[in-house]
Amino acid sequence: MKISGKSWKDSHIAALSKTFLLTGLTGIFLISSILEASAKNKDKHHHLNHHTLSGVAIMAEPKILNAVPTRLTTVKGRVTDEKNLPLPGVSVRLKGTAQVVSTNPGGEFQIVTEQSQPTLIFTYVGYKTQEILYKGEVLSIKLDPDQSKLEEVLVVGYGTQKKSDVLGSVATFNAKAVDEKPISRVEQALIGQMAGVQVRQQSGIPGAGLSIQVRGAGSITAGNEPLYVLDGFPLDIAGQNAAGGISNSPLDNLNPNDIESVQVLKDAAAGAIYGSRAANGVVIITTKKGVSGRPKISANAKAGISSVSRKVDMLSADEWVAQATELANSAWVASGTGRTASQTNAERAAVLGLAAGTINTSYMTDPRWAQAGHPGLDYVDWQDAVFTQAPYQNYEASASGGTENVTYFISGNYLNQNGTLLNSNFKNYGLRANVEANAGKKLKFGINLAPSYSINNAPPAEGKDNQLMNALQMVPVVESSAGLNTGAYGNSTYTWASPRLISPYAYLETAINNVKTSRLLASVYADYQIIKGSH
């Protein structure tokens, strides 16, 4: 933008940062420019000619204001613990911003801000968070231990202990936020939640179990799955099937919203309680219990659609045709002298001495490949054919409450999950009733019942020489008369395809592999308090 008006004398110049406000039809523009102003000139009004910028009027006669330098505030201080010892590594954050510094080995810190009285937030693992308003003095901060973390109760073996009393390595997961996640299995809630605990999905079939490893694999030939303990009752250890997936997982049909907490015992101390079964760690799962008071009723409904996020990168039909043509021509030219890539199929058949209508797919191409619209042929993406959009729905309801003597927690759930693989589905119906009664001041009884029924249709698609592997080996060109049913229902396979591979679409669409499972998990217990305060 060119600005004309009164000229500035070189003898009166000084650098000054100026801002003009441009108002127009399209909004407000802010333009910063460096002008030169006279330090001694008392006349602060300089008339500028009227100009426009893309149809936006620039206001005339702007006033040149004195620049006000930004004042910075430096906050210094020192952070100590309850014993007045310095705390290194304390996070000091300026409230309302992303500006963060940490204390040095002496517990000291320094942070610079444009705010005159900033609020600082001090956080450190195991200590309570503090917010301090700076008032111009050097800060001296004392952080107090967070006793609530030390008083947290963990389930260890056959009883409970305070977290501060636990000597072994225990990882804890609180399941309060599980109902906010669209998950269908307990293992999915543990993904990335606990250090040293790896949760891996071995199969994409709905209802299939996940693999859990505690501190990595401990064996090459034997199993690496941990021991599961549900409400104090040890369950069977999961095993892997031939396709690499988890079969007969003890966590099958278990509703994630029924879980109160999960503890993982990671060291050898677990073997003192559970023996050799605990060699790969122990996963202790505690379900929800009732609390005395007014009844609490909750309902939860989830729905969604899942799809394959990434397919295997394969040749498209056009790319396959181009490659097959090049291979056939190269093989023909190399098969004998005087043979050229421009020779037709009829000429090649005559040279080879083939009977009329006979095709040698090693040296000859399908003439329809080169014709517009490849008449009589369909181009197929087999991954699109066997994968589909998969709806998911889950409905849950629960009620809990009780009196001082009897408490209860009752829940029910219905899960209907389609798989992204064609014709795969998992349905689960589950109930749970946890009841606890006090027979006296020191004696209480309890019963946990969890019946479930599931129907899992899992066609044989995973593993070596199965349908997903076949889908990647299929030629992406089929006869239009057969379509997706090539090689099936009496249709012959495409001439340039392998005769042993039939349509994986046709196979999966008609496959019936329903596995119906009825399961009842029940436990009865009695708890007598011998010494007051014992667990």
Side-chain angles (χ1 to χ4, degrees), residues 4 50 147 163 232 259-260 283 319-320 322 366 426 436 488 491:
S4 62
H50 182 81
Q147 296 294 335
K163 190 173 184 178
I259 303 303
E260 180 70 26
V283 178
E319 292 171 338
W320 182 89
D366 191 334
F426 177 74
E436 191 171 79
N491 297 309

Side-chain angles (χ1 to χ4, degrees), residues 175 178-179 181 183-189 253-260 288 302 394 396 413 415:
V178 166
D179 57 349
K181 301 178 180 180
I183 59 177
S184 58
R185 295 189 61 90
V186 177
E187 306 100 299
Q188 293 174 319
N253 307 346
L254 186 61
N255 184 11
N257 280 354
D258 291 344
I259 303 303
E260 180 70 26
K288 294 178 180 178
K302 302 173 187 175
N394 190 15
E396 302 162 336
N413 75 292
L415 170 66

Side-chain angles (χ1 to χ4, degrees), residues 82-304:
E82 73 279 7
K83 298 179 181 180
N84 291 324
L85 297 175
L87 279 178
V90 177
S91 176
V92 183
R93 181 169 62 88
L94 192 64
K95 187 175 182 179
T97 71
Q99 189 174 356
V100 182
V101 298
S102 299
T103 57
N104 61 20
E108 299 172 339
F109 69 92
Q110 176 177 315
I111 188 169
V112 180
T113 176
E114 296 181 358
Q115 302 179 26
S116 59
Q117 288 188 334
T119 298
L120 303 179
I121 302 177
F122 298 83
T123 56
Y124 194 65
V125 177
Y127 288 81
K128 295 180 180 179
T129 300
Q130 288 192 28
E131 291 190 13
I132 303 296
L133 177 64
Y134 177 71
K135 297 182 179 179
E137 299 177 353
V138 177
L139 297 178
S140 180
I141 309 299
K142 179 181 291 187
L143 296 184
D144 297 323
D146 190 352
Q147 296 294 335
S148 62
K149 299 294 184 182
L150 299 179
E151 295 297 323
E152 183 180 348
V153 175
L154 303 180
V155 179
V156 181
Y158 293 126
T160 60
Q161 292 183 3
K162 290 183 179 180
K163 190 173 184 178
S164 57
D165 297 333
V166 176
L167 298 179
S169 179
V170 181
T172 306
F173 171 72
N174 194 318
K176 290 183 178 179
V178 166
D179 57 349
E180 301 175 1
K181 301 178 180 180
I183 59 177
S184 58
R185 295 189 61 90
V186 177
E187 306 100 299
Q188 293 174 319
L190 304 180
I191 296 176
Q193 298 297 319
M194 293 181 288
V197 180
Q198 299 175 352
V199 183
R200 299 180 299 179
Q201 183 170 349
Q202 305 287 90
S203 170
I205 299 296
L210 280 71
S211 173
I212 296 181
Q213 288 188 1
V214 179
R215 289 185 173 175
S219 174
I220 297 177
T221 57
N224 291 294
E225 298 298 312
L227 172 68
Y228 295 96
V229 178
L230 180 63
D231 289 329
F233 185 75
L235 304 176
D236 293 334
I237 298 177
Q240 285 190 332
N241 54 34
I246 300 298
S247 59
N248 300 322
S249 172
L251 302 185
D252 287 345
N253 307 346
L254 186 61
N255 184 11
N257 280 354
D258 291 344
I259 303 303
E260 180 70 26
S261 65
V262 178
Q263 278 85 38
V264 178
L265 309 184
K266 299 188 290 184
D267 58 8
I273 302 174
Y274 300 105
S276 60
R277 293 182 298 174
N280 295 319
V282 181
V283 178
I284 301 177
I285 300 173
T286 305
T287 58
K288 294 178 180 178
K289 301 292 191 297
V291 179
S292 60
R294 299 180 61 181
K296 296 180 181 179
I297 300 176
S298 64
N300 194 8
K302 302 173 187 175

